[in-house]
Amino acid sequence: METAFNNRGFEDSYATDSSSMWSPEEQDGTNLQVPPGISEPISKCGDLDVIFEYRAASQRLTVTIVRAQGLPDKDRSGVNSWQVHVVLLPSKKQRGRTSIQKGPNPVFKEKVTFTKLEPRDVAACAVRFRLYAARKMTRERMMGEKLFYLSHLHPEGEIKVTLVLEPRSNISSGGSLLSPSAVSHSDSASSTQSLSHGGAPELLVGLSYNATTGRLSVEMIKGSHFRNLAVNRAPDTYGKLFLLNSVGQEMSRCKTSIRRGQPNPVYKETFVFQVALFQLSDVTLMISVYNRRTMKRKEMIGWIALGQNSSGEEEQDHWEEMKETKGQQICRWHALLES
């Protein structure tokens, strides 16, 4: 059995921002027709064609990521390479990703299989799709995402869906689809941009872990949209990193050197923490960014936490992906939380 439908408008009634709580009770799950009068989302970053096939007998869900269409071209985004990440919610224990493909309409035709998905549990689950722009394998930026609720699946057979990928709220800046902090911009240009933009402070962090040596490497790469609220000039900033154990006690600390007068500073400083493999799920890495006002006065621009007590879903995903990649550095942008 094969059914095709387009989820424009219908799926858009659900929140997909990672700060939102996902709940199967929010679904009506009955009418797959697009309600009349529902218009296209005002802002989107492209469409993703996907095929779902669930087999109750084997308790397996196969998701085929076919292709993406209508993505920002290289002139608008500065990148031309794309990758799709998928994860099964709410457990987040099963996930996968496509290979990297190029162009505004990349063709993937790749399958991700989720197992041990019992029929009685299907309706309470969803698959989250995230599109990443990848300048290099380890320099990716999350562009958009979409949830698909598995209550829409047929017990047997395929469903073909076109998902409308929605840009993350912290990506937009000044009406542009992409933030000026995208890695594709040159370091020199981004470090001297005007303070007049309205973007939220962000930090590009690289993580890697070597299970053999127990070395956790943290690279504080680059900041974006750092502002000095007191005066109309770019701030003098630095980062502090703390490693905490399972009860919040400090295990280690370090900090970067100061970057003076840069709203989008480039740090590229790496710090190594010794963490045994059995401890890795029980530690928390806190990164705080400060504006140094005077020799004795500082103010916090924002902070994030990764690990056991992650400050958000994006941070937790970054930590989990680091653990899964076995030594490869994984870099992600993170929106800083206010102090």
Side-chain angles (χ1 to χ4, degrees):
M1 180 178 181
E2 192 171 288
T3 304
F5 70 92
N6 187 298
N7 80 317
R8 300 168 194 264
F10 179 79
E11 280 287 325
D12 293 328
S13 62
Y14 301 111
T16 57
D17 192 289
S18 64
S19 62
S20 306
M21 289 302 295
W22 173 89
S23 171
E25 285 76 14
E26 295 175 359
Q27 314 164 44
D28 57 24
T30 56
N31 181 13
L32 295 185
Q33 300 298 318
V34 179
I38 294 293
S39 60
E40 292 273 348
I42 295 175
S43 178
K44 69 174 188 175
C45 63
D47 297 332
L48 187 66
D49 292 338
V50 182
I51 300 173
F52 295 87
E53 182 180 11
Y54 178 66
R55 299 296 178 186
S58 60
Q59 300 180 10
R60 294 166 70 91
L61 171 66
T62 301
V63 180
T64 304
I65 298 96
V66 182
R67 65 176 177 268
Q69 302 182 75
L71 305 183
D73 58 31
K74 192 170 184 179
D75 290 340
R76 292 174 61 197
S77 66
V79 290
N80 196 41
S81 299
W82 309 94
Q83 186 178 50
V84 178
H85 293 206
V86 295
V87 62
L88 182 65
L89 302 178
S91 67
K92 295 187 184 179
K93 293 181 179 179
Q94 298 189 65
R95 61 182 69 219
R97 68 175 77 180
T98 67
S99 59
I100 294 177
Q101 302 295 334
K102 296 182 180 295
N105 301 295
V107 176
F108 299 100
K109 292 185 178 179
E110 298 182 39
K111 295 182 178 182
V112 176
T113 301
F114 301 112
T115 60
K116 299 180 180 180
L117 188 57
E118 297 187 18
R120 67 173 181 266
D121 297 330
V122 169
C125 296
V127 176
R128 185 186 68 200
F129 297 83
R130 282 182 171 174
L131 176 71
Y132 284 86
R135 188 176 180 221
K136 294 180 181 179
M137 186 63 182
T138 58
R139 298 296 170 94
E140 301 167 338
R141 182 178 179 81
M142 208 273 278
M143 301 296 297
E145 67 179 358
K146 196 65 184 179
L147 291 183
F148 181 84
Y149 295 91
L150 300 188
S151 59
H152 300 161
L153 291 181
H154 293 302
E156 298 288 340
E158 292 184 350
I159 291 182
K160 296 181 179 179
V161 185
T162 297
L163 302 173
V164 180
L165 297 170
E166 298 175 356
R168 290 290 303 277
S169 59
N170 62 8
I171 292 176
S172 300
S173 176
S176 172
L177 191 62
L178 293 181
S179 162
S181 61
V183 179
S184 55
H185 290 266
S186 69
D187 292 340
S188 59
S190 63
S191 294
T192 56
Q193 286 178 342
S194 166
L195 299 178
S196 61
H197 52 61
E202 292 180 306
L203 186 67
L204 181 61
V205 177
L207 298 177
S208 65
Y209 180 73
N210 187 315
T212 303
T213 62
R215 290 164 62 91
L216 170 64
S217 298
V218 182
E219 184 179 8
M220 189 162 157
I221 303 171
K222 181 179 180 181
S224 169
H225 300 159
F226 292 175
R227 291 185 293 277
N228 191 337
L229 299 179
V231 295
N232 189 25
R233 68 175 181 82
D236 301 336
T237 62
Y238 63 94
K240 278 188 174 183
L241 296 83
F242 299 88
L243 189 68
L244 309 176
N245 64 15
S246 58
V247 294
Q249 295 174 331
E250 183 179 311
M251 299 170 61
S252 183
R253 70 162 64 187
C254 49
K255 69 177 182 178
T256 70
S257 55
I258 297 175
R259 299 296 184 271
R260 301 185 184 280
Q262 298 179 11
N264 303 291
V266 177
Y267 298 98
K268 292 185 178 178
E269 295 188 35
T270 300
F271 305 92
V272 178
F273 301 93
Q274 201 67 34
V275 182
L277 181 58
F278 72 88
Q279 293 179 301
L280 192 58
S281 297
D282 299 326
V283 298
T284 300
L285 173 69
M286 291 194 65
I287 305 177
S288 303
V289 178
Y290 290 90
N291 171 26
R292 186 177 181 181
R293 298 279 298 277
T294 65
M295 287 294 290
K296 295 184 178 181
R297 187 179 179 189
K298 64 183 180 182
E299 62 184 6
M300 183 185 289
I301 292 176
W303 64 279
I304 58 170
L306 306 100
Q308 182 192 41
N309 296 309
S310 292
S311 53
E313 184 177 349
E314 194 77 10
E315 287 71 36
Q316 185 63 37
D317 286 350
H318 191 179
W319 189 263
E320 294 300 325
E321 192 169 353
M322 172 203 71
K323 293 196 296 184
E324 294 170 3
T325 50
K326 299 179 180 179
Q328 178 189 349
Q329 187 189 47
I330 303 297
C331 299
R332 293 281 180 268
W333 283 98
H334 296 277
L336 296 179
L337 300 176
E338 295 182 1
S339 59

